């Protein structure tokens, strides 16, 4: 078997017992194991996979160094790396295996019985110093080999720190505090922490005291303080202390609580650091997350903003825009930009030895994490924002009224009875299966609804045009930008359609016409007049209509509907109402010109005009209004005959 690692530059070959890496300059590296290789596969230009019979699978670089080992004792035949970074292995007789994004590596140190890491530091030469909880101190060289710096008899936890300005390393355990540059013991008493260097100074924190070390000497000592000191730093020319009771500003003769500036300074703090540009103060608190004080204001970033926990053990500053947090639930990375920040993280579920993180250091592009269960490391880009858009997600099926046999197509036109709809969505993520859920909405609603069910059900939807949208999510604030959508319409019943309403309106008009044609025109040929009268009466049924005139020099106004009839007396007319008779100087012929609702009146005689709705009975040549009988002249008999009631 053979393959190119770098085309035309580096090739890999295998036979029954040996894997060979051959470079263009004919330099060869031979890898021999006690197991026979049965598969090789290039991963990229620097790494390749070897599968062994009963020897598992190994990821190896072009120098022949084994980077990772998997499935010891299995016969591994192939490797596939999926879009989420997960490793899939096939075997001869043991099936298929999945390993979730194995980017976290465990660093084991021989003869280290207690793996609890208490402190980490890096040297100017990019080497890693490790202080263990049992007092042991180790150093990891650039070639990833480890050497022991101290193995004391006691079990006092060890602290390590390096001052890059003076290139001095400080080691503390049962043997006391030692400077490696002078080999001298600086302190013997119990301490709580060695602070990160500030310019040329390193602070040592203790129980109710702290020291400042400069040029490998204890330059300043402050004792008999009222609180236990967890960490010390300088900021804006002030000495800042973190204590169990909050953060304080220290002067040579006084200690002042910063809680007067903000209540966020009231929380217990175990670590306090200043940004590289000296403009921002970062405080690791218990229960208030990361407290930040800059030139503008004081605020905090908590679990609500994306942190794994509000309990922060340590802050590690990578640069002025990036900080790392060691919490009791994993590691968080915060990248700041103008008026914004982004939180990412990694925890035990993603490969860390433990969620209890004690300290962290970054050397080149590698993050070293000291946990209560040991030391592990991973590439820094492991915490770059995950691209969830490549995740598999689709709308698999849509069906109506619980009928799962037939799926309907997009832009379907449904009847009003087909208003119970089920959407079946399907998302696959092996790397995030514990947090996988879905969000959906209808018609671009402002809020998304979350569910873990693949079946999304809607019932009794009213007639309307709809657009269903769904997306796949992995926690409260991380979702795929890929949104599946489906449009459909539910048609209204025929009796709610516009055309049906138009038909009904036309039918009603026809019925009204037929009614007047049969009922009214039989008795009254003047259909226009009768229709106008009825319409006017309907429009003004709630209004009082008045007739105004002068009587004996006075302006008089009476309701038209109170008038019974009018009688002519020469140049005068008598207006009879149910209560009174009014005499007005007016010709009877002009009365109909002055009355507002003249359609309600009809003339029956040269001397009489009556109100139609006051007629109580009629005969061939007379009519009655209440008990008053009025004559109908021959010339007005036709008007009388046209009245129907």
């Amino acid at each position: 078997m053979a393959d190119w690692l770098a085309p035309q530059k580096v090739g890999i070959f295998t036979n029954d017992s040996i894997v060979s890496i051959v470079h263009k300059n004919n330099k060869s590296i031979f890898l021999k194991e006690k197991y026979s290789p049965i598969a090789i596969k290039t991963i990229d230009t620097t790494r390749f996979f070897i599968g062994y019979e009963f020897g598992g699978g190994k990821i190896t670089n072009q120098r022949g160094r084994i980077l990772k080992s998997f499935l010891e004792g299995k016969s591994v035949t192939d490797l596939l790396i999926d879009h989420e970074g997960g490793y899939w292995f096939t075997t001869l007789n043991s099936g298929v295996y999945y390993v979730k994004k194995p980017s976290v590596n465990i660093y084991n140190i021989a003869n280290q019985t207690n793996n609890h890491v208490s402190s980490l530091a890096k040297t100017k030469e990019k080497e890693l110093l490790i202080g263990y909880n049992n007092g042991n101190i180790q150093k990891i060289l650039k070639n990833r080999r480890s050497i022991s710096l101290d193995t004391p008899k006691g079990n006092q936890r060890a602290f390590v720190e390096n001052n890059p300005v003076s290139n001095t390393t400080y080691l503390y355990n049962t043997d006391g505090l030692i400077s490696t540059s002078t080999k001298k013991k600086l302190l013997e008493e119990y301490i709580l922490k060695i602070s990160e260097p500030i310019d040329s100074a390193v602070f040592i924190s203790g129980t109710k005291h702290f020291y400042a070390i400069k040029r490998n000497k204890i330059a300043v000592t402050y004792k008999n303080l009222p609180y236990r000191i967890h960490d010390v730093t300088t900021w804006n020319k002030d000495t800042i202390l973190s204590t169990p009771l909050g953060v304080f500003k220290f002067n040579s003769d006084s200690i002042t609580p910063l809680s007067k500036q903000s209540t966020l300074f009231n929380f217990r703090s175990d670590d306090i650091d200043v940004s590289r540009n000296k403009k921002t103060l970062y405080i690791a608190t218990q229960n208030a997350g990361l407290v930040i004080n800059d030139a503008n204001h004081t605020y905090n970033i908590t679990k609500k903003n994306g942190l794994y926990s509000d309990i922060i053990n340590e802050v590690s500053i990578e640069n002025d825009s990036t900080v790392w947090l060691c919490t009791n639930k994993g590691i968080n990375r915060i990248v700041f930009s103008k008026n914004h920040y982004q939180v990412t993280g990694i925890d035990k579920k993603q490969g860390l030895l433990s969620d209890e993180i004690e300290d962290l250091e970054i050397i080149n592009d590698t993050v070293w994490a000291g946990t209560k269960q040991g030391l592990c490391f991973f590439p820094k880009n492991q915490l770059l924002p995950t691209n969830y858009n490549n995740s598999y997600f689709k709308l698999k099926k849509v069906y109506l009224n619980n009928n799962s046999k037939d799926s309907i197509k997009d832009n379907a036109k449904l009847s009003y009875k087909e208003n119970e709809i089920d959407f079946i969505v399907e998302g696959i993520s092996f790397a995030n299966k514990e947090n996988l859920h879905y969000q959906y909405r209808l018609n671009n609603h402002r809020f998304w609804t979350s569910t873990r069910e693949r079946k999304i059900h809607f019932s009794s939807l009213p007639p309307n045009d709809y657009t269903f949208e769904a997306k796949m999510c992995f926690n409260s604030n991380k979702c795929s930008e890929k949104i599946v959508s489906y449009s459909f319409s539910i048609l209204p019943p025929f009796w709610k359609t516009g055309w049906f309403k138009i038909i009904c309106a036309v039918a009603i008009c026809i019925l009204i016409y037929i009614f007047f044609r049969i009922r009214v025109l039989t008795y009254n040929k003047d259909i226009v007049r009768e229709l106008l009268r009825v319409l006017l009466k309907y429009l003004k049924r709630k209004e009082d209509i008045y007739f105004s005139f002068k009587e004996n020099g006075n302006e008089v106004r009476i309701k038209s509907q109170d008038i019974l009839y009018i009688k002519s007396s020469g140049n005068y007319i008598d207006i009879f109402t149910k209560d009174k008779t009014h005499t007005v100087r007016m010709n009877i012929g002009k009365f109909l010109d002055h009355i507002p609702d003249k359609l309600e009146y009809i003339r029956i005689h040269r001397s009489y005009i009556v109100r139609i709705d006051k007629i109580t009975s009629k005969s061939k040549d007379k009519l009655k209004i209440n008990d008053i009988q009025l004559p109908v002249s021959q010339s007005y008999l036709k008007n009388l005959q046209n009245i129907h009631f």
Side-chain angles (χ1 to χ4, degrees), residues 465-492:
D465 294 327
Y466 293 97
T467 297
F468 168 80
E469 295 176 299
K471 58 184 177 180
M472 183 167 62
C473 298
F474 304 96
N475 56 40
S476 59
N477 59 358
K478 293 180 181 178
C479 295
S480 170
E481 293 181 4
K482 180 181 179 181
I483 297 177
V484 297
S485 62
Y486 179 89
S487 298
F488 62 98
S489 299
I490 298 179
L491 303 177

PDB file of all heavy atoms in Angstrom, residues 465-492:
ATOM      1  N   ASP A 465     -52.627  32.371   4.421  1.00  0.00           N
ATOM      2  CA  ASP A 465     -51.395  31.960   3.755  1.00  0.00           C
ATOM      3  C   ASP A 465     -50.319  31.796   4.821  1.00  0.00           C
ATOM      4  O   ASP A 465     -50.138  32.680   5.674  1.00  0.00           O
ATOM      5  CB  ASP A 465     -50.950  33.004   2.725  1.00  0.00           C
ATOM      6  CG  ASP A 465     -51.931  33.121   1.565  1.00  0.00           C
ATOM      7  OD1 ASP A 465     -52.540  32.096   1.199  1.00  0.00           O
ATOM      8  OD2 ASP A 465     -52.095  34.239   1.037  1.00  0.00           O
ATOM      9  N   TYR A 466     -49.578  30.692   4.817  1.00  0.00           N
ATOM     10  CA  TYR A 466     -48.621  30.380   5.875  1.00  0.00           C
ATOM     11  C   TYR A 466     -47.240  30.082   5.295  1.00  0.00           C
ATOM     12  O   TYR A 466     -47.113  29.544   4.194  1.00  0.00           O
ATOM     13  CB  TYR A 466     -49.073  29.163   6.685  1.00  0.00           C
ATOM     14  CG  TYR A 466     -50.324  29.397   7.507  1.00  0.00           C
ATOM     15  CD1 TYR A 466     -51.569  29.016   7.028  1.00  0.00           C
ATOM     16  CD2 TYR A 466     -50.250  29.986   8.760  1.00  0.00           C
ATOM     17  CE1 TYR A 466     -52.718  29.223   7.770  1.00  0.00           C
ATOM     18  CE2 TYR A 466     -51.399  30.195   9.517  1.00  0.00           C
ATOM     19  CZ  TYR A 466     -52.628  29.817   9.023  1.00  0.00           C
ATOM     20  OH  TYR A 466     -53.747  30.030   9.766  1.00  0.00           O
ATOM     21  N   THR A 467     -46.211  30.424   6.096  1.00  0.00           N
ATOM     22  CA  THR A 467     -44.843  29.998   5.825  1.00  0.00           C
ATOM     23  C   THR A 467     -44.270  29.427   7.110  1.00  0.00           C
ATOM     24  O   THR A 467     -44.162  30.128   8.132  1.00  0.00           O
ATOM     25  CB  THR A 467     -43.968  31.165   5.332  1.00  0.00           C
ATOM     26  OG1 THR A 467     -44.488  31.659   4.095  1.00  0.00           O
ATOM     27  CG2 THR A 467     -42.536  30.690   5.101  1.00  0.00           C
ATOM     28  N   PHE A 468     -43.944  28.146   7.089  1.00  0.00           N
ATOM     29  CA  PHE A 468     -43.347  27.455   8.237  1.00  0.00           C
ATOM     30  C   PHE A 468     -41.828  27.500   8.100  1.00  0.00           C
ATOM     31  O   PHE A 468     -41.280  27.267   7.023  1.00  0.00           O
ATOM     32  CB  PHE A 468     -43.835  26.006   8.275  1.00  0.00           C
ATOM     33  CG  PHE A 468     -43.080  25.125   9.233  1.00  0.00           C
ATOM     34  CD1 PHE A 468     -43.360  25.142  10.585  1.00  0.00           C
ATOM     35  CD2 PHE A 468     -42.083  24.281   8.769  1.00  0.00           C
ATOM     36  CE1 PHE A 468     -42.661  24.331  11.463  1.00  0.00           C
ATOM     37  CE2 PHE A 468     -41.382  23.468   9.631  1.00  0.00           C
ATOM     38  CZ  PHE A 468     -41.674  23.489  10.988  1.00  0.00           C
ATOM     39  N   GLU A 469     -41.121  27.831   9.204  1.00  0.00           N
ATOM     40  CA  GLU A 469     -39.664  27.871   9.214  1.00  0.00           C
ATOM     41  C   GLU A 469     -39.143  27.081  10.403  1.00  0.00           C
ATOM     42  O   GLU A 469     -39.733  27.105  11.483  1.00  0.00           O
ATOM     43  CB  GLU A 469     -39.155  29.313   9.300  1.00  0.00           C
ATOM     44  CG  GLU A 469     -39.481  30.175   8.090  1.00  0.00           C
ATOM     45  CD  GLU A 469     -39.042  31.607   8.279  1.00  0.00           C
ATOM     46  OE1 GLU A 469     -39.539  32.250   9.222  1.00  0.00           O
ATOM     47  OE2 GLU A 469     -38.204  32.072   7.497  1.00  0.00           O
ATOM     48  N   ALA A 470     -38.017  26.390  10.205  1.00  0.00           N
ATOM     49  CA  ALA A 470     -37.405  25.617  11.293  1.00  0.00           C
ATOM     50  C   ALA A 470     -35.893  25.638  11.127  1.00  0.00           C
ATOM     51  O   ALA A 470     -35.367  25.780  10.012  1.00  0.00           O
ATOM     52  CB  ALA A 470     -37.922  24.184  11.287  1.00  0.00           C
ATOM     53  N   LYS A 471     -35.186  25.524  12.259  1.00  0.00           N
ATOM     54  CA  LYS A 471     -33.723  25.457  12.235  1.00  0.00           C
ATOM     55  C   LYS A 471     -33.244  24.544  13.354  1.00  0.00           C
ATOM     56  O   LYS A 471     -33.975  24.284  14.321  1.00  0.00           O
ATOM     57  CB  LYS A 471     -33.098  26.853  12.371  1.00  0.00           C
ATOM     58  CG  LYS A 471     -33.488  27.614  13.632  1.00  0.00           C
ATOM     59  CD  LYS A 471     -32.905  29.026  13.617  1.00  0.00           C
ATOM     60  CE  LYS A 471     -33.345  29.819  14.843  1.00  0.00           C
ATOM     61  NZ  LYS A 471     -32.789  31.189  14.835  1.00  0.00           N
ATOM     62  N   MET A 472     -32.013  24.085  13.233  1.00  0.00           N
ATOM     63  CA  MET A 472     -31.431  23.175  14.208  1.00  0.00           C
ATOM     64  C   MET A 472     -30.543  23.964  15.162  1.00  0.00           C
ATOM     65  O   MET A 472     -29.756  24.812  14.731  1.00  0.00           O
ATOM     66  CB  MET A 472     -30.635  22.088  13.492  1.00  0.00           C
ATOM     67  CG  MET A 472     -30.038  21.042  14.403  1.00  0.00           C
ATOM     68  SD  MET A 472     -29.424  19.577  13.504  1.00  0.00           S
ATOM     69  CE  MET A 472     -28.159  20.317  12.488  1.00  0.00           C
ATOM     70  N   CYS A 473     -30.664  23.674  16.455  1.00  0.00           N
ATOM     71  CA  CYS A 473     -29.894  24.399  17.478  1.00  0.00           C
ATOM     72  C   CYS A 473     -29.189  23.402  18.391  1.00  0.00           C
ATOM     73  O   CYS A 473     -29.577  22.243  18.505  1.00  0.00           O
ATOM     74  CB  CYS A 473     -30.813  25.304  18.298  1.00  0.00           C
ATOM     75  SG  CYS A 473     -31.631  26.583  17.325  1.00  0.00           S
ATOM     76  N   PHE A 474     -28.144  23.912  19.082  1.00  0.00           N
ATOM     77  CA  PHE A 474     -27.339  23.050  19.937  1.00  0.00           C
ATOM     78  C   PHE A 474     -27.295  23.533  21.385  1.00  0.00           C
ATOM     79  O   PHE A 474     -26.972  22.783  22.279  1.00  0.00           O
ATOM     80  CB  PHE A 474     -25.919  22.934  19.371  1.00  0.00           C
ATOM     81  CG  PHE A 474     -25.928  22.432  17.957  1.00  0.00           C
ATOM     82  CD1 PHE A 474     -25.869  23.319  16.895  1.00  0.00           C
ATOM     83  CD2 PHE A 474     -26.047  21.096  17.687  1.00  0.00           C
ATOM     84  CE1 PHE A 474     -25.892  22.870  15.589  1.00  0.00           C
ATOM     85  CE2 PHE A 474     -26.080  20.630  16.388  1.00  0.00           C
ATOM     86  CZ  PHE A 474     -26.004  21.514  15.338  1.00  0.00           C
ATOM     87  N   ASN A 475     -27.590  24.788  21.623  1.00  0.00           N
ATOM     88  CA  ASN A 475     -27.881  25.293  22.961  1.00  0.00           C
ATOM     89  C   ASN A 475     -28.658  26.583  22.783  1.00  0.00           C
ATOM     90  O   ASN A 475     -29.105  26.898  21.683  1.00  0.00           O
ATOM     91  CB  ASN A 475     -26.607  25.475  23.813  1.00  0.00           C
ATOM     92  CG  ASN A 475     -25.595  26.380  23.149  1.00  0.00           C
ATOM     93  OD1 ASN A 475     -25.953  27.382  22.544  1.00  0.00           O
ATOM     94  ND2 ASN A 475     -24.325  26.033  23.257  1.00  0.00           N
ATOM     95  N   SER A 476     -28.827  27.351  23.857  1.00  0.00           N
ATOM     96  CA  SER A 476     -29.742  28.492  23.811  1.00  0.00           C
ATOM     97  C   SER A 476     -29.323  29.573  22.826  1.00  0.00           C
ATOM     98  O   SER A 476     -30.156  30.313  22.316  1.00  0.00           O
ATOM     99  CB  SER A 476     -29.876  29.109  25.210  1.00  0.00           C
ATOM    100  OG  SER A 476     -28.606  29.530  25.685  1.00  0.00           O
ATOM    101  N   ASN A 477     -28.017  29.685  22.526  1.00  0.00           N
ATOM    102  CA  ASN A 477     -27.595  30.785  21.654  1.00  0.00           C
ATOM    103  C   ASN A 477     -26.740  30.341  20.473  1.00  0.00           C
ATOM    104  O   ASN A 477     -26.074  31.148  19.842  1.00  0.00           O
ATOM    105  CB  ASN A 477     -26.826  31.837  22.469  1.00  0.00           C
ATOM    106  CG  ASN A 477     -25.598  31.258  23.150  1.00  0.00           C
ATOM    107  OD1 ASN A 477     -25.335  30.068  23.059  1.00  0.00           O
ATOM    108  ND2 ASN A 477     -24.856  32.102  23.837  1.00  0.00           N
ATOM    109  N   LYS A 478     -26.755  29.032  20.155  1.00  0.00           N
ATOM    110  CA  LYS A 478     -25.987  28.532  19.023  1.00  0.00           C
ATOM    111  C   LYS A 478     -26.903  27.722  18.125  1.00  0.00           C
ATOM    112  O   LYS A 478     -27.320  26.617  18.476  1.00  0.00           O
ATOM    113  CB  LYS A 478     -24.807  27.682  19.495  1.00  0.00           C
ATOM    114  CG  LYS A 478     -23.748  28.473  20.248  1.00  0.00           C
ATOM    115  CD  LYS A 478     -22.608  27.591  20.687  1.00  0.00           C
ATOM    116  CE  LYS A 478     -21.559  28.395  21.467  1.00  0.00           C
ATOM    117  NZ  LYS A 478     -20.455  27.536  21.945  1.00  0.00           N
ATOM    118  N   CYS A 479     -27.231  28.301  16.983  1.00  0.00           N
ATOM    119  CA  CYS A 479     -28.112  27.649  16.019  1.00  0.00           C
ATOM    120  C   CYS A 479     -27.497  27.733  14.629  1.00  0.00           C
ATOM    121  O   CYS A 479     -26.705  28.627  14.335  1.00  0.00           O
ATOM    122  CB  CYS A 479     -29.499  28.309  16.002  1.00  0.00           C
ATOM    123  SG  CYS A 479     -30.434  28.136  17.533  1.00  0.00           S
ATOM    124  N   SER A 480     -27.893  26.807  13.789  1.00  0.00           N
ATOM    125  CA  SER A 480     -27.462  26.833  12.403  1.00  0.00           C
ATOM    126  C   SER A 480     -28.145  27.979  11.673  1.00  0.00           C
ATOM    127  O   SER A 480     -29.302  28.310  11.948  1.00  0.00           O
ATOM    128  CB  SER A 480     -27.808  25.504  11.727  1.00  0.00           C
ATOM    129  OG  SER A 480     -27.602  25.583  10.334  1.00  0.00           O
ATOM    130  N   GLU A 481     -27.403  28.609  10.769  1.00  0.00           N
ATOM    131  CA  GLU A 481     -28.016  29.655   9.951  1.00  0.00           C
ATOM    132  C   GLU A 481     -28.904  29.066   8.865  1.00  0.00           C
ATOM    133  O   GLU A 481     -29.688  29.778   8.240  1.00  0.00           O
ATOM    134  CB  GLU A 481     -26.927  30.520   9.313  1.00  0.00           C
ATOM    135  CG  GLU A 481     -26.135  31.356  10.327  1.00  0.00           C
ATOM    136  CD  GLU A 481     -25.087  32.213   9.663  1.00  0.00           C
ATOM    137  OE1 GLU A 481     -25.036  32.216   8.416  1.00  0.00           O
ATOM    138  OE2 GLU A 481     -24.309  32.873  10.376  1.00  0.00           O
ATOM    139  N   LYS A 482     -28.786  27.762   8.652  1.00  0.00           N
ATOM    140  CA  LYS A 482     -29.606  27.099   7.646  1.00  0.00           C
ATOM    141  C   LYS A 482     -31.032  26.961   8.163  1.00  0.00           C
ATOM    142  O   LYS A 482     -31.279  26.350   9.204  1.00  0.00           O
ATOM    143  CB  LYS A 482     -29.032  25.716   7.323  1.00  0.00           C
ATOM    144  CG  LYS A 482     -29.831  24.957   6.281  1.00  0.00           C
ATOM    145  CD  LYS A 482     -29.222  23.586   6.019  1.00  0.00           C
ATOM    146  CE  LYS A 482     -30.028  22.816   4.996  1.00  0.00           C
ATOM    147  NZ  LYS A 482     -29.454  21.463   4.755  1.00  0.00           N
ATOM    148  N   ILE A 483     -31.980  27.540   7.444  1.00  0.00           N
ATOM    149  CA  ILE A 483     -33.394  27.506   7.827  1.00  0.00           C
ATOM    150  C   ILE A 483     -34.175  26.808   6.712  1.00  0.00           C
ATOM    151  O   ILE A 483     -34.078  27.198   5.547  1.00  0.00           O
ATOM    152  CB  ILE A 483     -33.945  28.920   8.058  1.00  0.00           C
ATOM    153  CG1 ILE A 483     -33.215  29.589   9.232  1.00  0.00           C
ATOM    154  CG2 ILE A 483     -35.444  28.882   8.330  1.00  0.00           C
ATOM    155  CD1 ILE A 483     -33.645  31.019   9.480  1.00  0.00           C
ATOM    156  N   VAL A 484     -34.904  25.768   7.078  1.00  0.00           N
ATOM    157  CA  VAL A 484     -35.789  25.124   6.102  1.00  0.00           C
ATOM    158  C   VAL A 484     -37.161  25.785   6.198  1.00  0.00           C
ATOM    159  O   VAL A 484     -37.615  26.161   7.285  1.00  0.00           O
ATOM    160  CB  VAL A 484     -35.895  23.605   6.344  1.00  0.00           C
ATOM    161  CG1 VAL A 484     -34.553  22.939   6.165  1.00  0.00           C
ATOM    162  CG2 VAL A 484     -36.446  23.313   7.734  1.00  0.00           C
ATOM    163  N   SER A 485     -37.811  25.961   5.069  1.00  0.00           N
ATOM    164  CA  SER A 485     -39.115  26.627   5.060  1.00  0.00           C
ATOM    165  C   SER A 485     -40.091  25.865   4.179  1.00  0.00           C
ATOM    166  O   SER A 485     -39.685  25.110   3.276  1.00  0.00           O
ATOM    167  CB  SER A 485     -38.980  28.080   4.576  1.00  0.00           C
ATOM    168  OG  SER A 485     -38.498  28.116   3.246  1.00  0.00           O
ATOM    169  N   TYR A 486     -41.357  26.079   4.421  1.00  0.00           N
ATOM    170  CA  TYR A 486     -42.425  25.414   3.665  1.00  0.00           C
ATOM    171  C   TYR A 486     -43.619  26.363   3.641  1.00  0.00           C
ATOM    172  O   TYR A 486     -44.071  26.836   4.689  1.00  0.00           O
ATOM    173  CB  TYR A 486     -42.802  24.094   4.342  1.00  0.00           C
ATOM    174  CG  TYR A 486     -43.920  23.350   3.652  1.00  0.00           C
ATOM    175  CD1 TYR A 486     -43.659  22.439   2.645  1.00  0.00           C
ATOM    176  CD2 TYR A 486     -45.242  23.573   3.997  1.00  0.00           C
ATOM    177  CE1 TYR A 486     -44.681  21.766   2.005  1.00  0.00           C
ATOM    178  CE2 TYR A 486     -46.274  22.914   3.368  1.00  0.00           C
ATOM    179  CZ  TYR A 486     -45.985  22.005   2.370  1.00  0.00           C
ATOM    180  OH  TYR A 486     -47.002  21.348   1.739  1.00  0.00           O
ATOM    181  N   SER A 487     -44.117  26.648   2.438  1.00  0.00           N
ATOM    182  CA  SER A 487     -45.251  27.570   2.283  1.00  0.00           C
ATOM    183  C   SER A 487     -46.498  26.793   1.871  1.00  0.00           C
ATOM    184  O   SER A 487     -46.420  25.849   1.070  1.00  0.00           O
ATOM    185  CB  SER A 487     -44.937  28.643   1.231  1.00  0.00           C
ATOM    186  OG  SER A 487     -43.829  29.429   1.626  1.00  0.00           O
ATOM    187  N   PHE A 488     -47.636  27.199   2.417  1.00  0.00           N
ATOM    188  CA  PHE A 488     -48.906  26.561   2.068  1.00  0.00           C
ATOM    189  C   PHE A 488     -50.040  27.536   2.353  1.00  0.00           C
ATOM    190  O   PHE A 488     -49.862  28.537   3.071  1.00  0.00           O
ATOM    191  CB  PHE A 488     -49.104  25.259   2.842  1.00  0.00           C
ATOM    192  CG  PHE A 488     -49.176  25.432   4.337  1.00  0.00           C
ATOM    193  CD1 PHE A 488     -50.397  25.482   4.999  1.00  0.00           C
ATOM    194  CD2 PHE A 488     -48.022  25.555   5.095  1.00  0.00           C
ATOM    195  CE1 PHE A 488     -50.467  25.644   6.374  1.00  0.00           C
ATOM    196  CE2 PHE A 488     -48.073  25.726   6.471  1.00  0.00           C
ATOM    197  CZ  PHE A 488     -49.301  25.760   7.112  1.00  0.00           C
ATOM    198  N   SER A 489     -51.183  27.247   1.796  1.00  0.00           N
ATOM    199  CA  SER A 489     -52.366  28.092   1.995  1.00  0.00           C
ATOM    200  C   SER A 489     -53.543  27.211   2.388  1.00  0.00           C
ATOM    201  O   SER A 489     -53.727  26.121   1.833  1.00  0.00           O
ATOM    202  CB  SER A 489     -52.708  28.870   0.718  1.00  0.00           C
ATOM    203  OG  SER A 489     -51.644  29.722   0.350  1.00  0.00           O
ATOM    204  N   ILE A 490     -54.321  27.684   3.352  1.00  0.00           N
ATOM    205  CA  ILE A 490     -55.577  27.027   3.712  1.00  0.00           C
ATOM    206  C   ILE A 490     -56.703  27.913   3.204  1.00  0.00           C
ATOM    207  O   ILE A 490     -56.823  29.080   3.609  1.00  0.00           O
ATOM    208  CB  ILE A 490     -55.688  26.818   5.232  1.00  0.00           C
ATOM    209  CG1 ILE A 490     -54.561  25.898   5.709  1.00  0.00           C
ATOM    210  CG2 ILE A 490     -57.049  26.233   5.602  1.00  0.00           C
ATOM    211  CD1 ILE A 490     -54.574  25.646   7.205  1.00  0.00           C
ATOM    212  N   LEU A 491     -57.495  27.378   2.294  1.00  0.00           N
ATOM    213  CA  LEU A 491     -58.556  28.151   1.649  1.00  0.00           C
ATOM    214  C   LEU A 491     -59.766  28.243   2.563  1.00  0.00           C
ATOM    215  O   LEU A 491     -60.083  27.290   3.300  1.00  0.00           O
ATOM    216  CB  LEU A 491     -58.948  27.500   0.328  1.00  0.00           C
ATOM    217  CG  LEU A 491     -57.800  27.311  -0.681  1.00  0.00           C
ATOM    218  CD1 LEU A 491     -58.306  26.592  -1.915  1.00  0.00           C
ATOM    219  CD2 LEU A 491     -57.190  28.647  -1.054  1.00  0.00           C
ATOM    220  N   PRO A 492     -60.489  29.361   2.544  1.00  0.00           N
ATOM    221  CA  PRO A 492     -61.692  29.496   3.373  1.00  0.00           C
ATOM    222  C   PRO A 492     -62.830  28.653   2.798  1.00  0.00           C
ATOM    223  O   PRO A 492     -62.827  28.302   1.615  1.00  0.00           O
ATOM    224  CB  PRO A 492     -62.003  30.993   3.288  1.00  0.00           C
ATOM    225  CG  PRO A 492     -61.423  31.424   1.980  1.00  0.00           C
ATOM    226  CD  PRO A 492     -60.201  30.584   1.764  1.00  0.00           C
TER     227      PRO A 492
END
